[in-house]
Amino acid sequence: MSLTNIIKLRTKEAIETLYNVSIDESAITVNVTKPEFEGDYTIVLFALLKPLKKSPDALGNELGKYLVDNNAGIFQSYNLIKGFLNLVIANSFWIKFLSDNYNNTSFGRQQVSHKKIMVEYSSPNTNKPLHLGHLRNIFLGWSAAELSKAIGNNVIKTCIVNDRGIHICKSMIAWKIFANGATPQSTHTKGDHFVGDYYVKFNEAYKGEVKTLEAEGLSAEEAEKEAAIMKAAQQMLVDWEAGKPGVIELWGMMNGWVYEGFDETYKRIGADFDKVYYESQTYLLGKNLVEAGLEKGIFYKEEDGSVWIDLTNDGLDKKIVRRRDGTAVYITQDIGLAVDKYEEYKIDESIYVVGDEQNYHFKVLKLICEKLGLPYAKAIYHLSYGMVELPSGKMKSREGTVVDADDIVDEMINIAKQKTEELGKVKDFTEDELTDLYETIGLGALKFFLLRVDPKKKMVFNPEESIDFHGFTGPFVQYTYARIKSVLRKASTVDSQPLTEDKNTQHSAVGQQSSANGELLPLEKEIIILLEQFPATVEEAATLYDPSKIALYVFNLAKTFNSFYTEHSIANAESEDKKTLRIKLAQLTAQTIQTGMHLLGIKVPERM
């Protein structure tokens, strides 16, 4: 149980004892005490005044005195400032916490399984390689899944591959026209990049044809319809849906090239999935649900035969769920796929990691599922995130201005190499060790930069800014971890005996300190307070699906430790007990940084 929850529980018990009034813990607000006041945690009294019929001063003094008198191992003293009860936590509490956890490799994680959660992320198209926007999606989805695991949930990571449709046919037609039989192997090109190049070639050729037709007197709209290459792509889509063997064979071959490329990128960036769905296998799902919805009067049919749902009374719009020719639309597929997921895994929650341009789509999906009475409807959650832009602005796939994921990873590793060599501290590394180090730093910088921002916010990615060994970056946290590990190697490890006060000090619960004057120094205490907050931070980040809270936490922890280490020696501490305390403090700090960074998908090097 976190200290915040302990304070709430003890406060509830105190109120029941003092005033014979039962109060819910949720009505008790506990905050970290502001730096300008004495104390560690603050109970906000205002919400308690009316039900307890007490003035702020009377309640604060009575409650504060009771908590200190009856919880000697937790509370040392209190002070009252205008409706805020500031509590000073006993040093013995902090030292016991450190002794109990410094060697706990599971610190911050819950072991009991609660719910079954499915997290869907990546969702690439097979007409182009993964790009920078996909990276934010993948890192966010992977981290959200790992955070959910950390609080005890059973998590299934999934991906839906958009492997059919007109955009796929565009790449296929362009390959038939321009490739002359070339393959990724013959051109020494990664498969997804190879196919993506033909998607760009299609759009270049299409623009050229439209321009020519406009010069011949057609309107822009007519030219776009009459362009031969577009007609060919549209016919190919018809042939694909009809199962024409030659088209299916080409589709399978080109998608195979892309999947090989995707797998290479996923492996490099540390992404993985428990189950992959393919749109080609799911796009017909949901058609039976449309029929069921028509029978129930949830959907209605227009004169042209198309099927719709009217959501205007729910503050939305009318939405088509089946075309007049009987074919499914995207929302129909999503309804069907959601059923498929639920029936296979019996999930309690289904998380969709999709950009905020699809906010409306997921509102509609959830509402339709609710109206159909589907059992998973309430479980649908759209983890919406803002787009990633470059300093130069938005990226466009069809114009070839998107930054490919592989290219940005290469750039990050190169910058990591350059920055690290400038520091001149890797002369004793082997070539293999340097290769691994540069990849660890480069990928760490990329992931940290993309995850440190609240998912709901748009962001601008600047590679140079992301690799700064002194800023709010992954390399800063990685460097701090490596620094702590170096200190621990030099200071040697300690046994698992509990921390004690100096040899000349009599043992007692409250007097269990480890410095010459029996007190924790301010920076020692500040680090321990931060460490105690880690499990609660993990739970909050997991509940909100917000890895940025972990990024901010590990940065603050690293920054605080660096401040401590600048001021205080570990190896040459004032006493053996103080040395023991600081080694344990360093061990738990390193373990917590490692766990926190893992939850972001980031490795930490043992040395830098």
Side-chain angles (χ1 to χ4, degrees), residues 535-566:
T537 303
V538 172
E539 186 164 8
E540 181 186 22
T543 304
L544 298 175
Y545 305 107
D546 185 359
S548 72
K549 295 189 180 300
I550 299 296
L552 181 60
Y553 173 87
V554 292
F555 169 71
N556 285 331
L557 180 60
K559 186 171 63 171
T560 304
F561 184 88
N562 283 324
S563 297
F564 155 76
Y565 190 64
T566 300

Side-chain angles (χ1 to χ4, degrees), residues 318-330:
K318 294 180 180 180
K319 181 72 176 180
I320 188 170
V321 295
R322 192 176 70 192
R323 297 186 184 93
R324 62 183 180 181
D325 60 4
T327 57
V329 294
Y330 205 80

